[in-house]
Amino acid sequence: MSRPVYQKKISAGSVARATVFPILLSISFSHLLNDSIQSLIPSLYPVLKKSYQLSYAQIGLITFTFQITASLFQPFVGYYTDQNPKPFSLPVGMSFTLGGLIFLSFSKSFPTTLLSVGLIGIGSSIFHPEASKVAYMASGGRRGLAQSIFQVGGNTGSAIGPLLAALIIVPYGSIHILYFCLLALIAIYFLTKIGNWYRINLHLIKPKRADLIEDNTQLFSRKKIIFSIVILLLLIFSKYFYLASMTSYFTFFLINKFGLSVQSSQLHLFIFLAAVAAGTFVGGPLGDRFGRKYVIWFSILGVAPFTLLLPHVNLFWTSILSVIIGFVLSSAFSAILVYAQELLPGKVGMVSGLFFGFAFGMGGIGSAVLGVLADHTSIFFVYKICAFLPMIGLITGFLPNIGGKHFLIQQKS
C-alpha cells in the first residue's frame, strides 16, 4: 500500500463526498487478522477440555475471562480517546494480543490459559473502539457501508480461525499457536500505517453541529435517546447470547447429537461463521438506504423461526438452518452501531466501545451461564431455551426511525 494513500489529507468540505476505501479495506483486513486470532479461543475448547479434563462450566469460564477483559475496558477506551485521540493505540492493543498468543502457546495449565486469554481480551478492548472510529472517519458519510466493511473483516476472521485451528492446532498441538503470532505482527504493521493516516485526519471525527439531520440530539429528547439506547442494548443481549451458544457449544452439540469428529464439527462451525461473515455486509448498506430500524427488526426477529427449528432437525437441516441463522442474525450489528452513533454524534469512540464491549460481555456471560446450564441439564436443553431469544426483537418497534434515504428526505423537508 503506497505512502500517498495514508498521508493524503482530505479537506473538511470533501468529507461528505469521499469514502476512503483504502483505509476501510486496511482496517477491515486488520479486523480480519484480529478476530482470526480471537476465534482460536473457542476453537481450542475440545482440545483444552480433553487435555485438562475441564467441565462445561470451566469452558464457559475461559470464554467469560476473555469476553470480560475484551468488554470491560472498551467504553472507557472509547471515552478517553474521544477526548484525547491516540492514533497509535491500535498497534499497542495488537501487541497485547501478541503477548497473549505467546503465553497461550506455552500454557500447561488452566490458570495460565485464563491469563493468556485475558491478555488477548485486553488487546481486543483497545482495538475495537478505535478501529470502529477509523471506519467512521473514512466513511465519507456512508456510515452503514463503512461499518459493514469493517465488520465483514472481523466476521471473516472469526470464520477462518476455527478452520485454521482444525488444520494446524487440533492435529499437531497447542505449541503451533505460535504460527498465529505472524498474523499479529502483520496486523501491527498495517495498524501503524493506519495510525499515521488517523493522526493527520483527526478533523474527520468532529461532528458538524449545524447539521440538524446528523445531530439527533436536536430531533429527540434526552429521555427518548436513553430509552432507545436501552432497547439497542437489549437487542445486543439477544443477539450475542444466542451467538454464544453457537460459537462456544455448537461443536459439542454436533458431536453429542450426531457423533461427529472434532475436526468435522469445526468444519460445521466454520460454515456457520462464514455465513455470519457474509451476512454482515448486508445490514449496513441496507440501513443507509432504507433505515436502520427495519434492518434491525428483520435481523433479530426474523431469525426466530429458524432458531426454533434448529434443535429438532437432522444433520443436513441443522447445517442449512445454521447458515440461514448466521446470515440473517449477523446483519444487525452494523445497523445497531451506526444507529447508536447517530443518536449520540461526537461520541463515536464511547458509543463504539459501549456497544462492542457490551456485545463481548454478553457473549462472555452467555457462554458462562450456558455452560453451567449445560452441566446441570444437557447441551440439547441449552439450544431449546436459546431458540426463544430472538423473540426479544419485538421491542424494535419502539425505536424511532433514523437513517436511510426516506428519513433524510423527511428531515430535509
Side-chain angles (χ1 to χ4, degrees):
M1 195 165 293
S2 63
R3 181 179 177 82
V5 168
Y6 287 97
Q7 297 299 323
K8 183 178 180 181
K9 186 172 181 177
I10 300 171
S11 66
S14 66
V15 172
R17 299 190 304 273
T19 300
V20 191
F21 284 104
I23 293 297
L24 287 178
L25 294 175
S26 295
I27 199 65
S28 180
F29 179 64
S30 300
H31 200 188
L32 182 152
L33 296 174
N34 181 79
D35 285 22
S36 293
I37 294 168
Q38 293 180 12
S39 66
L40 288 178
I41 296 172
S43 300
L44 290 171
Y45 288 167
V47 175
L48 295 173
K49 192 175 191 300
K50 182 178 179 181
S51 298
Y52 304 140
Q53 300 297 307
L54 303 181
S55 66
Y56 284 121
Q58 287 174 306
I59 292 292
L61 183 59
I62 294 174
T63 302
F64 178 80
T65 300
F66 166 68
Q67 301 282 28
I68 290 300
T69 54
S71 65
L72 188 63
F73 302 112
Q74 286 201 39
F76 301 103
V77 170
Y79 177 80
Y80 177 74
T81 57
D82 280 341
Q83 309 300 318
N84 306 280
K86 301 293 180 183
F88 295 100
S89 60
L90 286 165
V92 170
M94 189 57 64
S95 298
F96 276 94
T97 298
L98 176 61
L101 277 176
I102 294 171
F103 275 105
L104 186 59
S105 64
F106 292 105
S107 175
K108 299 296 182 183
S109 67
F110 180 64
T112 55
T113 298
L114 293 180
L115 173 64
S116 302
V117 300
L119 285 173
I120 296 173
I122 291 173
S124 177
S125 71
I126 298 172
F127 174 83
H128 282 95
E130 282 294 271
S132 182
K133 188 186 294 183
V134 169
Y136 181 98
M137 293 169 65
S139 70
R142 300 165 69 182
R143 296 171 187 170
L145 174 65
Q147 284 298 327
S148 286
I149 292 173
F150 172 62
Q151 282 297 111
V152 80
N155 287 333
T156 301
S158 296
I160 290 173
L163 184 62
L164 294 176
L167 295 174
I168 298 172
I169 298 173
V170 172
Y172 300 112
S174 60
I175 189 65
H176 288 78
I177 293 172
L178 283 172
Y179 286 121
F180 290 84
C181 292
L182 180 61
L183 301 184
L185 292 171
I186 294 171
I188 288 171
Y189 171 79
F190 274 91
L191 292 172
T192 301
K193 290 286 188 178
I194 291 168
N196 287 326
W197 179 87
Y198 184 171
R199 177 175 55 84
I200 65 173
N201 287 281
L202 287 172
H203 63 281
L204 298 178
I205 201 64
K206 296 178 181 178
K208 297 180 180 180
R209 302 302 296 176
D211 190 346
L212 295 182
I213 294 174
E214 296 294 333
D215 187 357
N216 290 294
T217 60
Q218 303 296 321
L219 299 176
F220 306 116
S221 67
R222 178 182 175 85
K223 182 178 179 180
K224 185 69 172 180
I225 291 173
I226 293 174
F227 179 70
S228 298
I229 292 292
V230 171
I231 290 177
L232 294 175
L233 291 175
L234 287 173
L235 295 172
I236 291 288
F237 158 78
S238 168
K239 171 182 167 69
Y240 280 89
F241 243 70
Y242 188 84
L243 283 179
S245 74
M246 297 296 286
T247 56
S248 293
Y249 301 109
F250 192 46
T251 53
F252 297 111
F253 174 80
L254 294 172
I255 290 169
N256 290 340
K257 184 173 182 179
F258 302 112
L260 299 186
S261 66
V262 171
Q263 286 182 305
S264 181
S265 68
Q266 292 283 15
L267 180 60
H268 281 79
L269 179 60
F270 164 74
I271 293 171
F272 167 76
L273 293 174
V276 169
T280 299
F281 190 74
V282 174
L286 288 179
D288 285 339
R289 182 172 179 82
F290 299 109
R292 325 285 177 206
K293 175 179 175 178
Y294 302 109
V295 173
I296 296 167
W297 207 339
F298 169 76
S299 178
I300 303 293
L301 185 61
V303 83
F306 308 108
T307 60
L308 290 167
L309 283 172
L310 183 71
H312 308 288
V313 296
N314 60 25
L315 179 59
F316 173 79
W317 283 108
T318 296
S319 301
I320 297 297
L321 290 174
S322 70
V323 169
I324 296 172
I325 291 168
F327 185 87
V328 176
L329 192 59
S330 64
S331 63
F333 188 78
S334 294
I336 290 174
L337 181 59
V338 176
Y339 187 108
Q341 289 173 345
E342 291 174 344
L343 276 175
L344 296 169
K347 300 178 181 179
V348 176
M350 186 190 74
V351 169
S352 300
L354 173 63
F355 277 83
F356 274 107
F358 190 75
F360 276 66
M362 287 300 97
I365 293 171
S367 183
V369 169
L370 296 177
V372 172
L373 183 62
D375 281 336
H376 286 82
T377 57
S378 71
I379 199 72
F380 310 111
F381 182 76
V382 165
Y383 277 85
K384 290 178 181 179
I385 294 297
C386 289
F388 291 92
L389 286 171
M391 299 299 293
I392 294 175
L394 287 167
I395 64 174
T396 306
F398 294 104
L399 291 173
N401 294 325
I402 290 183
K405 181 189 299 183
H406 303 301
F407 175 75
L408 295 179
I409 292 173
Q410 179 184 4
Q411 294 305 320
K412 286 179 180 177
S413 62

